[in-house]
Amino acid sequence: MAARQSVTQGAAVAMRYRAATDAILTREHKAASRAINNAFAIEAPFAGVAKRVGDLAEPLLIAIQESRKPENQVDPKDIPLFVPEVPHLLPVTRLLRDNALLRDMLVYDANKPAVKPRLSWYHPDDTMVPRGWFQEGLMMDFEYYFSKEKNTQ
């Protein structure tokens, strides 16, 4: 019984609210409000400049979207590797630039078989410096990744 009474009271409140808002928001009030809003409507500063910039940038954005389509993508194998010029003043840098082993490690090659990562020396109870970090970590990593037989997946 109490639930039915609260529903009818809620409906009565909703009807009173609607009647009050209809009285306040008559057609004349709405028209007057729109007229005031139109009278105070101003163009945003630099709106003309923004429109011109948008008109100039639109063809560029369309061209960018077109270039991102799959049929317009360039195959990475077709792009030659960029090898920068290094001045003679930096001989170590020149040596590193021309090192085949470093280039093999740092340049991605999709045709190369993937190497299975080696994480067996990690121990979860270690602190910042894991035990056996040099012998069981670095040296074993070098042996694993750079040995003659490749550890591929």
Side-chain angles (χ1 to χ4, degrees):
M1 187 71 171
R4 176 180 264 176
Q5 196 172 28
S6 67
V7 170
T8 54
Q9 286 175 346
V13 169
M15 286 174 39
R16 276 187 259 139
Y17 174 76
R18 172 168 248 153
T21 55
D22 285 345
I24 292 172
L25 300 175
T26 62
R27 200 173 293 199
E28 296 84 29
H29 287 116
K30 290 178 186 178
S33 174
R34 284 195 190 101
I36 290 172
N37 287 342
N38 291 336
F40 286 107
I42 58 171
E43 189 174 319
F46 301 109
V49 174
K51 183 174 179 356
R52 276 186 259 139
V53 168
D55 290 342
L56 291 173
E58 184 179 16
L60 180 65
L61 292 174
I62 290 171
I64 289 172
Q65 287 174 344
E66 287 293 321
S67 70
R68 289 186 178 168
K69 288 185 177 176
E71 63 266 9
N72 296 333
Q73 294 292 325
V74 176
D75 191 12
K77 291 181 261 179
D78 297 340
I79 301 173
L81 179 66
F82 173 71
V83 180
E85 288 295 322
V86 178
H88 291 287
L89 236 62
L90 306 169
V92 175
T93 306
R94 290 174 73 84
L95 269 170
L96 293 175
R97 178 197 68 182
D98 298 332
N99 190 323
L101 179 65
L102 279 177
R103 191 172 289 174
D104 184 49
M105 276 192 322
L106 299 176
V107 176
Y108 176 73
D109 185 10
N111 298 329
K112 236 171 49 171
V115 176
K116 184 177 176 186
R118 177 187 174 274
L119 298 171
S120 60
W121 64 274
Y122 173 75
H123 193 276
D125 294 334
D126 286 342
T127 57
M128 284 291 278
V129 179
R131 54 190 124 148
W133 69 271
F134 184 76
Q135 191 62 37
E136 297 171 19
L138 285 178
M139 296 310 292
M140 293 292 280
D141 279 348
F142 278 118
E143 184 180 323
Y144 181 81
Y145 289 111
F146 302 112
S147 66
K148 293 296 177 196
E149 76 261 357
K150 288 292 182 181
N151 303 299
T152 57
Q153 290 180 348

